[in-house]
Amino acid sequence: MRTYTYKAKLNAHTHRNLTEFLTQQRLLYNGALQERIDCYQKTGESIGLYDQRGSLTTLRREDEWFRKFDRWCQDSALVRVERAFKRFFRQGRGFPRFKSYKRGVQSFETLQKKPTFNGKYGYVKLKGIGRFRWRQDGRCDDRTKVKVLRVVQRPTGVFIQLVCDDKPQRLGLNQAIGIDVGVHLRAALSDGTVFPRHTPDRTEIRRKQRALNRCETGSNGRKKRRASLARACYRARVRRHNDLHRLTSEIVKHHGKWIAVEDLDIQAMTASAAGTAASPGCQVKQKAGLNRSILDQNWGTFFSQLDYKAASAGGQLVRVDPKHTTQRCSSCGGLPIKALTLNDRWYECTHCGYRDDRDVNASKNVLLKGLALFDAGGSFPAVSATGRPNQDMGPDRHGTV
Ligand SMILES: [Zn+2]
């Protein structure tokens, strides 16, 4: 599944209707959440998506305002309540919260509407809202492949997202690489390539935050500056994503599509050091700074982009256990007598004399672990841990790396 995003054009009338519909979605979401809570408190039993769809039908019969819009676009709010409860029960996430007037609902999706394409433009007309139009760019031309149509309101405009059922194509190089992500270097590859760390420029956002803070609560100036800050934050997010897309595309195109990375628990790594009131932690500020620089590297997005890009190039991304990947020697497999600290930038093996950048050494270890996990149906391209393609395609190719 791939998602393609297009900036939509819509007239003022459609814009107004969209705002009205998103307000209704917020009320519907909050109503559905309240209905579940009430039902559980009164009867001790839970209601599900199907019961709530029934309630929506009743509501549409009784209220003209709800009848005005498309039934299957409205369904989006109910599906989202269902998903929020699934995350709460199955993934241990927080209890679903009501959507406030300020944050609201910014998007909705439908499985029932397909767009129309006429060469240059794509269109979709939604009942009660109006017509959306966007410029086609050749990424998605087949309307039968569109599974989900999503409308997203963002600070810089309205966007249409088409979630398509695209089959991966086989192309590109046949090489396997290991990647070590870090804070000193953004990423080190087992073929020796290193990408420098990423430090986002926050000056514009800081300036706009200060300007917002100076405004009086409830004033028109505050409203304007709030929107301006939202646009700046959104632009920063787009920039960050574009940077990452450039990086991950380069890795898959020029370095390898069989990729091994460390299976990092980012949430645990970036937990606060504050502790509890009974047993307060130490170096809380320092830990917060480290957390910020870890999160600035966007490892989660980095991995998920690599995952789908590798898959669509006919390769695979595997996650390996990060244990000892930094400490072990990638040449002889020995562990150092004295453990490496964060300040040691070079790896020097006391057993075999191997010397390398510490992060490159780690990425080679990641690759060694990953080779056993690739599921290539016997056609796995043979490589050595140094990234050189292996000439010998014999049966011991996994053992000799
Ligand atoms: Zn060694």
Side-chain angles (χ1 to χ4, degrees):
M1 289 286 189
R2 296 280 285 267
T3 305
Y4 303 110
T5 307
Y6 301 90
K7 182 148 190 186
K9 283 200 168 178
L10 46 161
N11 62 29
H13 192 60
T14 311
H15 242 298
R16 260 198 312 279
N17 289 340
L18 178 65
T19 313
E20 189 184 338
F21 181 69
L22 289 173
T23 309
Q24 191 191 68
Q25 282 278 288
R26 178 170 59 85
L27 299 176
L28 214 49
Y29 184 96
N30 289 344
L33 180 54
Q34 188 66 54
E35 192 187 20
R36 288 196 182 214
I37 294 170
D38 286 348
C39 182
Y40 183 77
Q41 281 174 349
K42 276 178 201 148
T43 64
E45 277 179 30
S46 313
I47 49 170
L49 179 60
Y50 291 95
D51 307 307
Q52 298 209 301
R53 280 186 175 150
S55 312
L56 177 60
T57 307
T58 320
L59 190 62
R60 279 173 65 88
R61 205 175 295 141
E62 287 163 2
D63 193 327
E64 199 185 336
W65 189 47
F66 284 92
R67 236 179 359 253
K68 193 174 142 191
F69 297 105
D70 184 89
R71 163 81 179 77
W72 294 106
C73 291
Q74 285 173 333
D75 199 55
S76 178
L78 305 185
V79 172
R80 282 176 183 191
V81 173
E82 170 83 2
R83 274 189 216 148
F85 272 96
K86 269 191 186 153
R87 279 198 294 273
F88 170 66
F89 284 121
R90 297 193 191 154
Q91 295 172 20
R93 305 283 282 274
F95 190 80
R97 294 198 297 178
F98 289 97
K99 303 265 182 218
S100 82
Y101 159 73
K102 273 189 180 169
R103 300 186 73 84
V105 173
Q106 316 280 348
S107 67
F108 63 91
E109 60 196 35
T110 170
L111 281 68
Q112 309 288 328
K113 278 279 172 194
K114 302 274 185 222
T116 315
F117 299 134
N118 82 356
K120 215 169 165 190
Y121 292 100
Y123 303 91
V124 69
K125 201 174 171 200
L126 301 174
K127 186 193 165 195
I129 303 175
R131 198 177 71 147
F132 298 81
R133 184 177 71 135
W134 61 92
R135 190 178 273 278
Q136 281 292 99
D137 56 7
R139 287 182 298 169
C140 174
D141 290 326
D142 186 358
R143 71 195 296 256
T144 57
K145 278 187 179 170
V146 178
K147 298 293 169 207
V148 180
L149 186 132
R150 199 178 291 135
V151 179
V152 189
Q153 169 120 65
R154 284 182 178 155
T156 51
V158 177
F159 293 80
I160 297 286
Q161 291 186 337
L162 305 177
V163 183
C164 291
D165 189 8
D166 272 358
K167 291 275 172 298
Q169 348 150 292
R170 292 191 166 261
L171 46 89
L173 284 166
N174 267 358
Q175 273 200 350
I177 47 159
I179 301 178
D180 178 63
V181 291
V183 174
H184 284 274
L185 289 170
R186 184 165 209 178
L189 269 48
S190 56
D191 61 7
T193 320
V194 292
F195 296 99
R197 72 176 281 177
H198 180 68
T199 37
D201 182 13
R202 259 188 274 273
T203 39
E204 190 195 2
I205 290 176
R206 289 229 173 97
R207 199 181 67 234
K208 294 199 163 168
Q209 275 168 338
R210 279 198 301 271
L212 178 68
N213 272 342
R214 280 196 299 271
C215 292
E216 227 170 279
T217 319
S219 65
N220 272 332
R222 191 179 171 88
K223 216 164 144 189
K224 278 180 201 159
R225 296 208 163 92
R226 211 175 108 96
S228 158
L229 174 64
R231 280 194 299 274
C233 287
Y234 177 69
R235 276 198 301 273
R237 203 176 95 202
V238 170
R239 255 199 309 276
R240 200 162 63 224
H241 273 248
N242 284 348
D243 277 355
L244 270 179
H245 271 298
R246 242 171 260 138
L247 179 64
T248 49
S249 289
E250 193 192 324
I251 289 175
V252 174
K253 268 187 199 149
H254 301 296
H255 297 277
K257 58 185 185 179
W258 297 92
I259 300 169
V261 296
E262 287 170 295
D263 189 10
L264 300 173
D265 186 356
I266 296 162
Q267 212 168 26
M269 287 171 80
T270 53
S272 163
T276 56
S279 62
C282 57
Q283 298 197 310
V284 178
K285 269 243 163 105
Q286 284 87 337
K287 177 61 179 145
L290 177 64
N291 288 351
R292 159 86 24 109
S293 31
I294 289 175
L295 292 172
D296 278 346
Q297 309 305 315
N298 295 104
W299 292 336
T301 320
F302 179 63
F303 291 159
S304 70
Q305 285 184 6
L306 279 177
D307 194 353
Y308 84 79
K309 285 183 188 181
S312 85
Q316 190 191 7
L317 177 104
V318 292
R319 290 160 196 267
V320 304
D321 180 10
K323 195 178 179 195
H324 287 324
T325 46
T326 310
Q327 300 292 337
R328 209 176 275 285
C329 167
S330 63
S331 176
C332 70
L335 282 169
I337 299 158
K338 207 171 121 243
L340 259 75
T341 66
L342 268 177
N343 290 326
D344 299 325
R345 300 311 305 158
W346 275 89
Y347 189 91
E348 288 190 41
C349 182
T350 42
H351 307 285
C352 70
Y354 169 83
R355 262 182 115 248
D356 209 339
D357 183 282
R358 65 171 278 146
D359 293 322
V360 174
N361 175 59
S363 65
K364 287 179 180 173
N365 282 323
V366 172
L367 174 60
L368 286 172
K369 287 187 173 189
L371 286 175
L373 300 174
F374 288 126
D375 170 30
S379 65
F380 180 70
V383 290
S384 70
T386 50
R388 271 184 281 114
N390 209 338
Q391 298 303 312
D392 176 22
M393 293 289 282
D396 64 339
R397 60 185 193 271
H398 286 177
T400 53
V401 288

